[in-house]
């Protein structure tokens, strides 16, 4: 289920919350968002397909794929938080007609991002710094490929906890050359909670971008506040998910309600 929250994030940060991340074909001159790193590791497409198929049988051409992505992100949040974090997710999004592979890297923050780059990237999407720190808490349930943080395992300048670094070095070893995966939070990997912030404080996080939250006063203050008060973080996470779900929403003027989430209408 964690993949459904990540799918929602990756959709909204490229062209807005318009289900462009689901498209397998759109422009004959360009591959779509789905086929470039880091989207190659996205999961949950079959969940969206199944939901769309059932909804279409009941009320065809009414519910967009973009709304379904938002709704499953909300529902995954609810179940992964042990039914503690629930919120109303507004509907009414239309599906986008475009999806371009070359727009991924510009819009999605990579794991080596600095705190100032994170701040600017989220601001570009209309989200403030506190919302950026709040949404980063979703990393507590994510899985990552070792290649996304391998520099932190070999660098003497890394502030990663030595015990965690040693464990990860073993988990990331591969005689076959495969890019192993590990959990972000080895304490409560299947629970959406505020443990992420405690891990940031104890230097037990994978990404440079996670550790970077301690490099500015306002973001480090937010990390400490979220680590201290789980109820406060949960309330902020609800609001931030709704705010993210409102990024560059398409309307009937520039969107459509797809019949199939993987292709635009008419294909």
């Amino acid at each position: 289920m964690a993949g459904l929250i990540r799918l929602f994030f990756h959709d909204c940060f490229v062209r807005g919350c318009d289900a462009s991340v689901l498209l397998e074909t759109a422009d004959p001159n360009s591959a779509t968002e789905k086929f470039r790193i880091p989207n190659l590791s996205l999961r949950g497409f079959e969940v969206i397909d199944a939901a769309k198929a059932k909804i279409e049988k009941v009320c065809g051409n009414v519910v967009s794929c973009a709304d379904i992505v938002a709704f499953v992100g909300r529902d995954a949040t609810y179940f992964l938080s042990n039914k503690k974090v629930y919120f109303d997710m507004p509907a009414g999004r239309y599906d986008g007609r475009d999806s371009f592979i070359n727009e991924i890297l510009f819009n999605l923050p990579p794991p080596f991002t600095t705190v100032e780059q994170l701040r600017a990237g989220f601001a570009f999407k209309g989200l403030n710094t506190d919302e950026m720190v709040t949404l980063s808490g979703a990393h507590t349930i994510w899985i990552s490929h070792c290649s996304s943080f391998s520099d932190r395992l070999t660098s003497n300048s890394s502030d990663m906890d030595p015990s965690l670094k040693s464990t990860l070095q073993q988990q990331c070893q591969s005689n076959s050359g495969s890019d192993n995966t590990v959990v972000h939070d080895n304490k409560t990997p299947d629970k959406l909670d505020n443990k992420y912030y405690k891990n940031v404080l104890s230097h037990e996080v994978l990404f440079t971008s996670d550790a970077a939250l301690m490099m500015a006063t306002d973001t480090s203050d937010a990390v400490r506040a979220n680590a201290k008060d789980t109820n406060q973080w949960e309330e902020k996470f609800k609001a931030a998910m709704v705010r993210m779900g409102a990024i560059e929403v398409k309307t009937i003027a520039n969107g459509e309600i797809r019949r199939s989430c993987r292709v635009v209408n008419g294909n």
Side-chain angles (χ1 to χ4, degrees):
M1 275 191 289
L4 298 174
I5 299 177
R6 184 171 180 242
L7 185 66
F8 179 42
F9 171 75
H10 280 230
D11 183 40
C12 290
F13 262 61
V14 184
R15 293 191 159 263
C17 307
D18 67 348
S20 56
V21 73
L22 306 179
L23 288 172
E24 295 187 344
T25 180
D27 187 318
N29 298 312
S30 172
T32 62
E33 300 166 26
K34 189 175 183 178
F35 298 106
R36 184 163 194 169
I37 294 173
N39 285 355
L40 291 175
S41 61
L42 287 177
R43 299 292 182 268
F45 298 104
E46 71 287 349
V47 175
I48 307 300
D49 290 339
K52 179 65 171 177
K54 289 186 177 182
I55 291 170
E56 285 295 300
K57 289 180 180 179
V58 178
C59 50
N61 200 38
V62 174
V63 181
S64 68
C65 301
D67 272 350
I68 294 173
V69 171
F71 295 155
V72 298
R74 172 203 61 195
D75 293 348
T77 298
Y78 174 67
F79 287 111
L80 287 167
S81 65
N82 197 25
K83 302 182 180 181
K84 290 181 63 181
V85 183
Y86 182 79
F87 50 93
D88 291 327
M89 177 63 76
R93 301 166 189 80
Y94 278 72
D95 298 320
R97 300 188 183 97
D98 298 307
S99 182
F100 300 101
I101 194 171
N102 62 0
E103 293 182 345
I104 296 298
L105 299 183
F106 174 77
N107 287 285
L108 290 174
F112 48 82
T113 309
T114 67
V115 68
E116 292 307 321
Q117 290 169 332
L118 283 171
R119 195 194 308 274
F122 275 71
F124 187 66
K125 303 300 177 182
L127 300 172
N128 63 39
T129 298
D130 191 62
E131 288 167 330
M132 177 267 288
V133 177
T134 298
L135 290 168
S136 294
H139 280 184
T140 193
I141 50 169
W142 284 8
I143 295 173
S144 175
H145 284 93
C146 292
S147 59
S148 297
F149 58 89
S150 57
D151 59 316
R152 282 171 51 78
L153 299 183
T154 57
S155 172
N156 291 328
S157 62
S158 169
D159 67 349
M160 184 182 289
D161 173 78
S163 178
L164 175 63
K165 180 184 289 189
S166 176
T167 297
L168 291 172
Q169 286 172 337
Q170 295 178 34
Q171 292 177 337
C172 289
Q173 283 183 351
S174 173
N175 294 328
S176 64
S178 62
D179 191 2
N180 294 347
T181 58
V182 298
V183 296
H184 273 254
D185 175 8
N186 61 12
K187 304 293 196 307
T188 58
D190 299 316
K191 183 179 179 182
L192 183 65
D193 54 21
N194 70 334
K195 183 63 179 175
Y196 166 81
Y197 301 102
K198 298 174 183 179
N199 291 342
V200 173
L201 292 173
S202 61
H203 306 285
E204 295 178 282
V205 287
L206 302 187
F207 292 167
T208 297
S209 56
D210 294 323
L213 297 181
M214 297 304 294
M215 302 304 292
T217 301
D218 56 346
T219 55
S220 61
D221 285 348
V223 168
R224 291 187 181 92
N226 291 337
K228 182 178 181 180
D229 191 338
T230 186
N231 292 326
Q232 173 183 281
W233 172 73
E234 288 170 358
E235 291 302 315
K236 292 198 299 181
F237 192 79
K238 295 176 188 179
M241 286 284 281
V242 172
R243 286 260 295 146
M244 184 171 70
I247 296 175
E248 300 175 49
V249 169
K250 303 293 188 297
T251 67
I252 193 171
N254 61 350
E256 64 183 16
I257 295 179
R258 290 182 212 142
R259 290 184 290 273
S260 169
C261 291
R262 300 191 183 223
V263 295
V264 296
N265 293 341
N267 280 11

